[in-house]
Amino acid sequence: MRFTSTPRGARLARRLTAVRLDAWGIPYDVTPHDEIVLIAAELTANAVRHGHVPGRDFHLRVHAPADGRTVRVEVTDTRAERLPRHPGAQDTPDAGETGRGLLLVSRLAARWDWHPRPDGPGKTVWAEYALARQQR
C-alpha cells in the first residue's frame, strides 16, 4: 500500500501491519506480532524522517510466504541520496537520542538490508522476521 510520507502515514502503515498480521493468524499481544509491528514502525518512521521527498509517498509491503516461516516487511521511499548502512557495517558510536531504529531492526529481524528502487529514484529497506513453527 501507499502512504503519505508523514507521521500520520507511518502510523496508518503500522496499524495496517498489525491488522494484517492478526488476520494471518499472528494475533495481537504475542511476541512475534509485537516485534513485526515494531519493525514496520521503525522502517516507516525512517521513510518519513530520512526518505521524505515533498509530494512523494512511501510504499509498504508485508508478505508472508506460503511456507509460514517468515514475514517480510518492505518499505520503499523516493529519496536516493540518504542511504542506510548495509547490515554489518561499522557503526560509529553516537551519544544522540536518535539513530537506533535500524539497530533495533537488526536485533529483531532474522535479516535485513536495502537495495535501490528498481523503478525510479529511492530505495527499499526490508526485514525478514523468522516465525517459530507454532506461530503460523
Side-chain angles (χ1 to χ4, degrees):
M1 289 197 66
R2 197 166 89 183
F3 296 90
T4 59
S5 193
T6 63
R8 181 176 185 266
R11 284 191 307 273
L12 290 172
R14 182 182 68 233
R15 177 71 177 132
L16 173 71
T17 301
V19 169
R20 180 64 45 131
L21 291 172
D22 186 59
W24 287 343
I26 306 169
Y28 289 91
D29 296 326
V30 298
T31 299
H33 183 277
D34 295 344
E35 290 181 348
I36 296 166
V37 170
L38 183 55
I39 289 168
E42 290 297 336
L43 296 183
T44 58
N46 281 353
V48 169
R49 174 173 252 178
H50 304 294
H52 175 75
V53 173
R56 301 282 176 99
D57 298 333
F58 72 87
H59 295 247
L60 168 71
R61 180 174 187 252
V62 181
H63 177 69
D67 66 12
R69 292 188 288 205
T70 61
V71 173
R72 183 176 172 112
V73 178
E74 300 177 2
V75 177
T76 302
D77 65 52
T78 55
R79 191 162 185 189
E81 70 277 6
R82 301 244 1 223
L83 302 175
R85 290 190 173 124
H86 283 284
Q90 282 293 81
D91 289 326
T92 54
D94 186 357
E97 292 184 18
T98 63
R100 293 184 179 84
L102 287 178
L103 179 62
L104 182 60
V105 168
S106 72
R107 297 290 192 262
L108 296 174
R111 59 191 200 122
W112 75 275
D113 206 345
W114 66 270
H115 56 81
R117 184 176 168 204
D119 58 346
K123 65 201 163 289
T124 297
V125 182
W126 58 267
E128 289 180 350
Y129 185 89
L131 294 169
R133 284 217 173 262
Q134 67 272 18
Q135 293 300 324
R136 277 292 282 168

